[in-house]
Amino acid sequence: MYKKIKHNSSDIRECSHAGTWYNSDASSLSRQLDGWLNKASDSDAECLRPARAIIAPHAGYTYCGDCASYAYRQVEPSIVRRVFILGPSHHRYLSKCALTSCLVYRTPFGNLRIDAEVYQALEATEKFETISKQTDEDEHSIEMQLPFIAKVMEDYIDHVTIVPILVGSIKLAEERCYGAILAPYLADPSTLFVISSDFCHWGHRFRYTYHDATRGHIHQSIQHLDRMGMDLIEQLDADGFYDYLKQYANTICGRHPISVLLNAIHELSNHNGHSCITLRFLKYKQSSRCKHNSDSSVSYAAASLVVRPLNSTVHRGGGDASANRRSEESTTNHASGSRR
């Protein structure tokens, strides 16, 4: 057990969205998360664990908690000792990636400690800025992952540290730079990366109304649009994903955190050629089925990435992957990396 340290209130990031975006009562929240995680485990969706990285949504739990559980059920808590959390900045413009000024993140299940050693190493690169506690607490993309992390890691919460990174509106070259910085950590089996992202935000309130009428109703067009991006992510194609975003401008809010992950995978592949890296999406849903121009929706998706020796077999438990891939509920293409 780590020695308990008493922190000043200025060192602690409060769970500022508890009570609104998710339940602030630990017992009620625990039952809710248990229900979703158990349902995900009992489903026919593919099993891809132990996850080295996951992609999970960050909306209010009533909208996306069930979807996020498909990613978190791939985590093997007994081997995880450090969790990187990469989330987009919704409220403050950032031209680079940023680290928090806090030392502890509070959750309804207990505190999660910042990994001071890793933070010191990241700061030494001079590629990161530091955000204030207020800016940190205003942002929801990282916080919405914390209760799931604390819940999944509940038996090891005193032995795990977190590395929250708020990812700004960075360019392609910077995505590659941050990918290279983070790749050595991704290579560590005791490290988990959590990439916080929703997918298409459709409707006039999001200023995005792309509709390919050949695909049918608006919600079907949205699904096809999201699937194109998800396929490129499964293929670990960082440049293809960049080109896709440039062509369709899909409103994937975590596009930069996802791109940083893809570039970290590329770096890892270059320096660790004896490993097999596989990423698959396990769950997809939309907040509503848009049929009219006045409608709006947000898409959510859950994915898992595993890293294994080349001679090992990916564990795929669950139902028929090809059938799941054709449904709206799951997508499970085989991944193979590429970057120009």
Side-chain angles (χ1 to χ4, degrees):
M1 296 283 287
Y2 287 94
K3 182 180 178 181
K4 300 293 184 180
I5 301 174
K6 187 174 182 180
H7 293 282
N8 297 323
S9 60
S10 60
D11 296 335
I12 301 174
R13 185 202 186 281
E14 299 294 339
C15 38
S16 52
H17 293 75
T20 50
W21 290 55
Y22 58 93
N23 202 316
S24 59
D25 178 72
S27 297
S28 299
L29 181 60
S30 180
R31 288 193 298 271
Q32 186 179 48
L33 297 188
D34 276 335
W36 285 327
L37 290 166
N38 290 336
K39 184 177 180 181
S41 297
D42 293 340
S43 75
D44 290 333
E46 208 174 0
C47 179
L48 199 65
R49 61 182 300 164
R52 187 73 59 88
I54 62 173
I55 298 173
H58 55 233
Y61 282 3
T62 56
Y63 295 101
C64 74
D66 58 337
C67 181
S69 67
Y70 282 77
Y72 279 99
R73 80 175 184 124
Q74 312 306 324
V75 176
E76 177 47 65
S78 65
I79 64 175
V80 174
R81 290 297 173 265
R82 179 189 297 125
V83 183
F84 280 74
I85 314 158
L86 276 62
S89 179
H90 290 85
H91 302 290
R92 176 185 165 183
Y93 175 78
L94 297 173
S95 61
K96 56 175 66 174
C97 289
L99 308 176
T100 184
S101 57
C102 298
L103 302 178
V104 172
Y105 275 22
R106 199 185 301 282
T107 83
F109 301 128
N111 294 339
L112 293 167
R113 297 174 299 107
I114 303 298
D115 193 312
E117 182 179 350
V118 173
Y119 252 36
Q120 190 174 33
L122 296 180
E123 288 167 350
T125 67
E126 299 184 347
K127 299 293 185 181
F128 296 81
E129 63 180 275
T130 301
I131 55 171
S132 68
K133 177 182 176 181
Q134 185 61 59
T135 297
D136 197 344
E137 290 182 345
D138 287 344
E139 179 56 55
H140 65 275
S141 68
I142 290 177
E143 180 181 340
M144 297 308 293
Q145 308 302 331
L146 303 178
F148 266 107
I149 293 169
K151 176 62 180 176
V152 170
M153 298 298 300
E154 60 185 345
D155 292 337
Y156 305 90
I157 196 166
D158 291 328
H159 300 278
V160 69
T161 57
I162 61 170
V163 184
I165 300 175
L166 200 59
V167 181
S169 300
I170 55 178
K171 296 179 171 61
L172 177 61
E174 293 163 330
E175 291 171 347
R176 291 175 175 173
C177 174
Y178 287 112
I181 290 172
L182 298 179
Y185 299 102
L186 185 62
D188 182 358
S190 68
T191 295
L192 170 71
F193 274 73
V194 175
I195 308 301
S196 183
S197 182
D198 297 334
F199 276 71
C200 183
H201 298 62
W202 195 95
H204 289 290
R205 68 191 182 103
F206 300 117
R207 291 180 291 181
Y208 189 76
T209 54
Y210 171 86
H211 179 203
D212 180 357
T214 65
R215 299 294 170 182
H217 289 298
I218 293 170
H219 68 87
Q220 293 169 312
S221 171
I222 295 171
Q223 181 181 339
H224 177 74
L225 177 68
D226 281 333
R227 295 290 187 193
M228 285 194 289
M230 292 158 67
D231 284 347
L232 290 164
I233 296 168
E234 286 188 332
Q235 293 161 22
L236 309 179
D237 188 351
D239 285 337
F241 186 59
Y242 175 85
D243 292 340
Y244 156 83
L245 292 169
K246 190 173 181 180
Q247 179 177 354
Y248 294 100
N250 191 3
T251 48
I252 302 172
C253 55
R255 57 194 176 276
H256 295 299
I258 291 171
S259 294
V260 170
L261 174 67
L262 293 177
N263 281 283
I265 293 168
H266 178 78
E267 289 294 323
L268 180 60
S269 299
N270 282 347
H271 296 93
N272 195 12
H274 61 279
S275 293
C276 177
I277 303 174
T278 305
L279 188 153
R280 290 193 182 91
F281 280 90
L282 308 171
K283 184 72 172 178
Y284 174 81
K285 64 178 290 190
Q286 297 171 5
S287 62
S288 63
R289 290 174 174 262
C290 295
K291 294 183 178 181
H292 308 287
N293 289 334
S294 57
D295 294 339
S296 66
S297 75
V298 180
S299 304
Y300 311 116
S304 175
L305 177 139
V306 295
V307 180
R308 289 191 173 88
L310 283 174
N311 60 354
S312 68
T313 302
V314 173
H315 176 58
R316 299 187 181 181
D320 180 357
S322 62
N324 288 340
R325 182 64 181 86
R326 292 191 296 270
S327 75
E328 185 179 35
E329 295 299 330
S330 175
T331 175
T332 57
N333 276 349
H334 182 69
S336 58
S338 63
R339 195 181 86 178
R340 290 192 294 271

